[in-house]
Short mmCIF file of all heavy atoms in Angstrom, two decimals:
data_model
loop_
_atom_site.label_atom_id
_atom_site.label_comp_id
_atom_site.label_asym_id
_atom_site.label_seq_id
_atom_site.Cartn_x
_atom_site.Cartn_y
_atom_site.Cartn_z
N GLU V 98 107.16 91.07 80.30
CA GLU V 98 107.82 89.86 80.77
C GLU V 98 107.52 89.57 82.23
O GLU V 98 107.78 88.48 82.71
CB GLU V 98 109.34 89.98 80.57
CG GLU V 98 109.76 90.18 79.13
CD GLU V 98 109.38 89.01 78.23
OE1 GLU V 98 109.25 87.88 78.75
OE2 GLU V 98 109.23 89.23 77.01
N THR V 114 100.91 97.67 84.19
CA THR V 114 101.73 97.44 85.38
C THR V 114 102.09 95.97 85.49
O THR V 114 101.23 95.09 85.35
CB THR V 114 100.96 97.86 86.65
OG1 THR V 114 100.63 99.24 86.55
CG2 THR V 114 101.81 97.65 87.89
N THR V 125 95.90 108.51 71.11
CA THR V 125 95.83 109.45 70.00
C THR V 125 94.62 109.10 69.15
O THR V 125 93.90 108.14 69.44
CB THR V 125 97.11 109.40 69.15
OG1 THR V 125 97.20 108.10 68.52
CG2 THR V 125 98.35 109.63 70.00
N PRO V 157 129.31 162.68 100.81
CA PRO V 157 130.13 163.08 101.97
C PRO V 157 129.28 163.06 103.25
O PRO V 157 128.06 163.30 103.22
CB PRO V 157 130.57 164.51 101.62
CG PRO V 157 130.43 164.61 100.13
CD PRO V 157 129.28 163.73 99.76
N PRO V 252 134.82 162.03 103.29
CA PRO V 252 134.57 162.46 101.92
C PRO V 252 133.71 161.42 101.19
O PRO V 252 133.44 160.34 101.69
CB PRO V 252 135.96 162.56 101.32
CG PRO V 252 136.74 161.50 102.05
CD PRO V 252 136.19 161.49 103.47
N ILE V 265 122.20 129.37 81.13
CA ILE V 265 121.42 128.18 80.77
C ILE V 265 122.01 127.62 79.49
O ILE V 265 121.98 128.28 78.44
CB ILE V 265 119.94 128.54 80.56
CG1 ILE V 265 119.38 129.23 81.81
CG2 ILE V 265 119.13 127.31 80.21
CD1 ILE V 265 117.99 129.81 81.59
N THR V 309 152.99 159.87 105.38
CA THR V 309 152.13 160.81 106.09
C THR V 309 151.08 160.04 106.89
O THR V 309 150.44 159.12 106.37
CB THR V 309 151.44 161.75 105.09
OG1 THR V 309 152.43 162.42 104.31
CG2 THR V 309 150.59 162.77 105.82
N ASP V 329 118.43 130.18 103.98
CA ASP V 329 117.59 130.94 103.05
C ASP V 329 117.31 130.14 101.79
O ASP V 329 116.18 130.07 101.30
CB ASP V 329 118.27 132.26 102.68
CG ASP V 329 118.02 133.35 103.73
OD1 ASP V 329 117.27 133.09 104.68
OD2 ASP V 329 118.58 134.45 103.58
N ALA V 421 98.20 93.61 97.15
CA ALA V 421 97.05 94.19 96.44
C ALA V 421 96.69 95.52 97.09
O ALA V 421 97.08 95.80 98.23
CB ALA V 421 95.85 93.24 96.48
N ALA V 470 94.74 86.13 99.81
CA ALA V 470 95.26 85.05 98.99
C ALA V 470 96.05 85.63 97.83
O ALA V 470 95.59 86.55 97.15
CB ALA V 470 94.11 84.18 98.48
N LEU V 512 87.00 87.83 91.79
CA LEU V 512 85.75 88.36 92.30
C LEU V 512 85.29 89.51 91.43
O LEU V 512 86.10 90.23 90.84
CB LEU V 512 85.92 88.87 93.75
CG LEU V 512 86.59 87.93 94.75
CD1 LEU V 512 86.84 88.67 96.07
CD2 LEU V 512 85.72 86.71 95.00
N ALA V 513 83.98 89.70 91.34
CA ALA V 513 83.42 90.83 90.59
C ALA V 513 82.08 91.19 91.20
O ALA V 513 81.28 90.30 91.53
CB ALA V 513 83.27 90.49 89.10
N LEU V 521 77.75 89.55 94.78
CA LEU V 521 79.17 89.33 94.58
C LEU V 521 79.36 88.03 93.82
O LEU V 521 78.97 86.96 94.30
CB LEU V 521 79.91 89.27 95.92
CG LEU V 521 81.42 89.01 95.81
CD1 LEU V 521 82.13 90.22 95.22
CD2 LEU V 521 82.01 88.65 97.17
N ARG V 555 80.83 97.20 86.28
CA ARG V 555 80.91 96.17 85.26
C ARG V 555 81.32 94.85 85.87
O ARG V 555 82.28 94.78 86.64
CB ARG V 555 81.92 96.55 84.17
CG ARG V 555 81.61 97.84 83.42
CD ARG V 555 80.37 97.71 82.57
NE ARG V 555 80.51 96.71 81.53
CZ ARG V 555 81.00 96.97 80.32
NH1 ARG V 555 81.42 98.18 80.02
NH2 ARG V 555 81.07 96.02 79.42
N VAL V 587 63.62 69.11 109.99
CA VAL V 587 62.89 68.47 111.08
C VAL V 587 61.51 69.13 111.14
O VAL V 587 61.39 70.32 111.42
CB VAL V 587 63.63 68.62 112.41
CG1 VAL V 587 62.81 67.99 113.54
CG2 VAL V 587 65.01 67.98 112.32
N THR V 604 55.28 78.48 90.26
CA THR V 604 54.57 79.33 89.30
C THR V 604 55.45 79.54 88.08
O THR V 604 56.57 80.04 88.20
CB THR V 604 54.24 80.70 89.91
OG1 THR V 604 53.47 80.50 91.11
CG2 THR V 604 53.43 81.54 88.94
N GLY V 605 54.95 79.12 86.90
CA GLY V 605 55.72 79.31 85.68
C GLY V 605 55.05 78.65 84.50
O GLY V 605 54.00 78.00 84.62
N ASN V 628 58.25 60.77 98.03
CA ASN V 628 57.24 61.12 97.04
C ASN V 628 57.94 61.87 95.92
O ASN V 628 58.86 62.64 96.16
CB ASN V 628 56.14 62.00 97.65
CG ASN V 628 55.02 62.27 96.67
OD1 ASN V 628 55.16 63.09 95.79
ND2 ASN V 628 53.92 61.56 96.84
N ILE V 671 54.16 71.68 104.68
CA ILE V 671 54.19 70.27 105.07
C ILE V 671 53.16 70.07 106.18
O ILE V 671 53.23 70.71 107.22
CB ILE V 671 55.58 69.85 105.57
CG1 ILE V 671 56.64 70.12 104.48
CG2 ILE V 671 55.60 68.39 105.97
CD1 ILE V 671 58.05 69.84 104.93
#
Side-chain angles (χ1 to χ4, degrees):
E98 300 297 334
T114 301
T125 65
I265 305 171
T309 304
D329 277 356
L512 310 173
L521 179 70
R555 300 293 297 272
V587 178
T604 304
N628 185 283
I671 303 175

